[in-house]
């Protein structure tokens, strides 16, 4: 499994374990063996790798590893998601993702306490994340 796939799976599994919706977006074309050719994807170019719904908020997550950089198409999608009120984050490592998740993707309105991390969402509702759930 590639580093990108491992990170993508880790982010999705973490979000699902926390009770959120998360799904990988397959944006590449598919090879059609009976036709002997590739079929172009119908997904918008530049779409993020993961879509998620976290506490009622739409998040699009782009996974980048190594020397990967955002394409112009991805920058356009980022602008459109933000304009529509969603959150768009670029993640290069699980620790970076966790920091963005803990801060709500934008701000750093968090505190740490004992074995739980306390997260303050926009509605000022506290959500606890058990540290042992981070190891799964």
């Amino acid at each position: 499994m590639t580093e990108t796939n491992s990170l993508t799976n880790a982010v999705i599994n973490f979000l699902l374990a926390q009770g959120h919706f998360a799904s990988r977006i397959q944006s590449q074309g598919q090879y059609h063996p009976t036709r002997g050719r590739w079929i172009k994807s119908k997904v918008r170019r530049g779409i993020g790798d993961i879509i998620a719904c976290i506490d009622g908020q739409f998040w699009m997550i782009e996974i980048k590893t190594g020397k990967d950089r955002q394409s112009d198409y991805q920058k356009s999608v980022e602008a459109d998601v933000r304009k529509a009120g969603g959150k768009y984050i670029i993640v290069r490592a699980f620790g970076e993702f966790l920091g963005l998740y803990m801060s709500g993707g934008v701000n750093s309105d968090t505190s740490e306490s004992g074995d739980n991390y306390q997260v303050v969402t926009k509605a000022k509702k506290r959500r606890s994340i058990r540290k042992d759930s981070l190891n799964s």
Side-chain angles (χ1 to χ4, degrees), residues 1 5 10 17 24 27 29 32 38 40 67 72-73 75-76 79 82 91 106 113 115 117-118 120 134 136:
M1 185 178 300
N5 283 336
R24 174 179 281 219
S27 60
H32 197 283
W38 284 85
K40 187 177 177 179
K67 295 181 180 180
D72 289 339
Y73 293 108
K75 290 175 183 177
S76 175
R82 291 180 188 271
V91 174
V106 180
S113 165
D115 286 339
Y117 292 103
Q118 300 295 320
V120 182
L134 301 178
S136 52

Side-chain angles (χ1 to χ4, degrees), residues 101-115:
Y101 173 82
M102 298 297 290
S103 68
V106 180
N107 304 319
S108 51
D109 188 10
T110 62
S111 63
E112 217 174 291
S113 165
D115 286 339

Side-chain angles (χ1 to χ4, degrees), residues 57-126:
Q57 176 77 45
F58 176 82
W59 286 46
M60 184 165 291
I61 303 167
E62 179 64 34
I63 304 294
K64 295 291 183 193
T65 57
K67 295 181 180 180
D68 288 346
R69 298 287 178 257
Q70 249 187 324
S71 70
D72 289 339
Y73 293 108
Q74 290 168 330
K75 290 175 183 177
S76 175
V77 168
E78 176 182 6
D80 289 348
V81 167
R82 291 180 188 271
K83 182 179 175 185
K87 296 188 181 197
Y88 185 102
I89 61 173
I90 299 170
V91 174
R92 294 191 166 279
F94 188 77
E96 177 186 26
F97 161 73
L98 190 57
L100 291 167
Y101 173 82
M102 298 297 290
S103 68
V106 180
N107 304 319
S108 51
D109 188 10
T110 62
S111 63
E112 217 174 291
S113 165
D115 286 339
N116 295 312
Y117 292 103
Q118 300 295 320
V119 178
V120 182
T121 65
K122 278 190 169 185
K124 299 296 180 190
K125 176 179 118 186
R126 290 201 176 266

